[in-house]
Amino acid sequence: MPSADAVRYARHLLLPELGRQGQQRLLDARVLIIGLGGLGSPAALYLAAAGVGTLGLVDFDVVDESNLHRQIIHGTGDIGRSKLASAAAKIRSVNPDVVLEQHEVPFGVSNARALVDAYDVVLDGTDNFPTRYLVNDACVMSGTPNVYGSVFRFEGQAAVFAAPGGPCYRCLHPEPPPDGLIPNCAEAGVLGVLPGIIGTVQATEAIKLVTGMGESLAGRLLLYDALRMTFRTITLARDPECPVCGDAPTIGTLVAYDQVCGPSETAEMKDEMTVDELHQWRESGHPHMLLDVREPFEHASAHIEGAVLIPMGSVMQHLDALPKDRTVVVQCQSGARSARVTAALRQKGFEAVNLAGGIHAWRMAGYS
């Protein structure tokens, strides 16, 4: 170990459970972080500081002002910048010796196995069910441990899935919930410090998996309640009937789910249009009304010129403000809330279409 590393990681070297051998394992390790939001932010910073030799970073979103209360790897000056570029700059400032492999792409069926196969441990920082199931399935098929975390309002969860002999995420939840059944953080809110706590737990578990020290969360689900400041764990057993990791698995290839369950999900849906199509409508003067169903603070942060703001919870009380003689294009942050409003409006007889990807896709396409 170079003398510079011995100085940087001196406090690690003093730990008998870790020591020089454990630190060298960290320096040689490859960890993939999927999502650089609330969970991925603290996890990436602490794994870099701990000396993980190679970090793979997967994200294709841009920094929004509403991210900043919890996604601490990004700052005010990063608003509008790609999360990947923002995170990479902060990580390099923490530890310039860490090798960063940047993947500015959606994590999808076409690339999931190749990405997962290239790393020793995967840290799941995603915020939607379709991607979460895809991460799980890819990890099980690859034999790569999946360090899972999730947050909602004041509660968080963490576990290690797809470890040898252990359960996977589908042993806990065999199938994704129906679209719209569970609100996401953009709709229900989340305490800003909560992802920091769970993301740091995930970083801890990744370090333990790499070094072999301690007892991991494989086979256990950690539950945290911030309001009551309680931690508890429940035992999770591998389900022999699990469709992915069971004794006779029925899912042998990766599956893409169409449900849109989180603010970063942009899966294809019925009755929708692309941002390119909307741009063409605006350029040609095609008659339509653009309805923004986000909250006022989101609209104030960034909006599409000419959009009419009616938050999702108020739309049904303001139907008289919507036209029936032209198409209502419904828009939110990324397409989840607007999809539900679109369906409700169509049931009321409106000609409504969902803007796929929402303002995230609009800004990524370079439109203003």
Side-chain angles (χ1 to χ4, degrees):
M1 182 179 297
S3 58
D5 285 349
V7 173
R8 179 181 282 268
Y9 307 116
R11 300 302 187 271
H12 272 182
L13 302 183
L14 293 173
L15 298 172
E17 297 85 353
L18 199 155
R20 286 183 176 269
Q21 183 180 51
Q23 187 61 51
Q24 191 60 54
R25 288 175 177 171
L26 287 172
L27 292 169
D28 295 337
R30 296 173 55 82
V31 176
L32 180 67
I33 302 175
I34 304 174
L36 296 168
L39 297 172
S41 288
L45 292 174
Y46 273 104
L47 290 176
V52 171
T54 301
L55 288 177
L57 309 176
V58 181
D59 206 303
F60 69 104
D61 202 357
V62 296
V63 180
D64 186 85
E65 189 173 4
S66 65
N67 300 150
L68 300 183
H69 92 298
R70 67 195 183 282
Q71 300 182 17
I72 59 169
I73 207 165
H74 313 296
T76 301
D78 296 312
I79 294 173
R81 189 182 186 187
S82 81
K83 288 186 178 179
L84 197 63
S86 170
K90 184 65 68 67
I91 292 169
R92 290 193 181 101
S93 73
V94 171
N95 190 344
D97 296 329
V98 174
V99 175
L100 299 181
E101 296 179 349
Q102 301 178 50
H103 309 281
E104 196 162 13
V105 293
F107 186 84
V109 170
S110 63
N111 60 14
R113 275 300 302 272
L115 286 170
V116 169
D117 286 347
Y119 294 88
D120 305 314
V121 175
V122 170
L123 192 146
D124 183 357
T126 62
D127 58 6
N128 63 85
F129 285 103
T131 310
R132 194 170 292 160
Y133 278 85
L134 185 59
V135 172
N136 175 80
D137 295 355
C139 285
V140 171
M141 295 174 190
S142 174
T144 304
N146 169 22
V147 184
Y148 156 82
S150 70
V151 293
F152 181 74
R153 292 178 58 80
F154 300 97
E155 299 176 352
Q157 300 181 358
V160 172
F161 294 122
C168 77
Y169 184 68
R170 285 186 186 268
C171 295
L172 179 65
H173 301 296
E175 294 291 338
D179 179 32
L181 179 64
I182 299 176
N184 57 59
C185 291
E187 299 165 356
V190 61
L191 182 67
V193 298
L194 179 62
I197 296 168
I198 301 302
T200 305
V201 169
Q202 290 179 275
T204 305
E205 290 301 299
I207 290 171
K208 288 161 58 181
L209 288 169
V210 167
T211 61
M213 65 178 181
E215 180 183 351
S216 82
L217 280 174
R220 293 182 294 153
L221 179 67
L222 176 69
L223 304 172
Y224 172 65
D225 185 331
L227 287 180
R228 295 172 178 81
M229 193 50 70
T230 58
F231 289 88
R232 63 189 181 96
T233 59
I234 59 175
T235 301
L236 292 179
R238 173 180 164 272
D239 181 3
E241 303 297 323
C242 175
V244 175
C245 76
D247 296 338
T250 57
I251 299 177
T253 57
L254 295 179
V255 177
Y257 288 93
D258 290 335
Q259 293 95 332
V260 177
C261 309
S264 293
E265 177 61 32
T266 56
E268 181 176 325
M269 302 178 62
K270 296 180 180 179
D271 306 319
E272 69 179 11
M273 71 186 310
T274 67
V275 293
D276 292 332
E277 290 170 330
L278 176 60
H279 179 68
Q280 292 172 5
W281 276 21
R282 290 163 65 88
E283 290 289 298
S284 66
H286 186 94
H288 69 282
M289 172 186 175
L290 181 59
L291 173 64
D292 187 339
V293 297
R294 298 175 300 157
E295 296 302 313
F297 74 90
E298 295 176 286
H299 181 271
S301 174
H303 60 271
I304 301 174
E305 190 67 31
V308 176
L309 176 65
I310 304 178
M312 182 175 70
S314 304
V315 171
M316 292 299 108
Q317 287 75 49
H318 293 85
L319 294 180
D320 57 348
L322 305 181
K324 285 199 171 183
D325 60 348
R326 61 188 188 276
T327 302
V328 178
V329 179
V330 190
Q331 166 251 315
C332 68
Q333 200 75 1
S334 64
R337 284 170 284 176
S338 54
R340 294 199 280 276
V341 173
T342 297
L345 290 179
R346 293 175 72 89
Q347 289 180 353
K348 295 291 186 179
F350 289 90
E351 182 181 333
V353 295
N354 179 40
L355 181 63
I359 197 168
H360 278 320
W362 182 262
R363 295 173 68 185
M364 287 289 285
Y367 300 131
S368 59

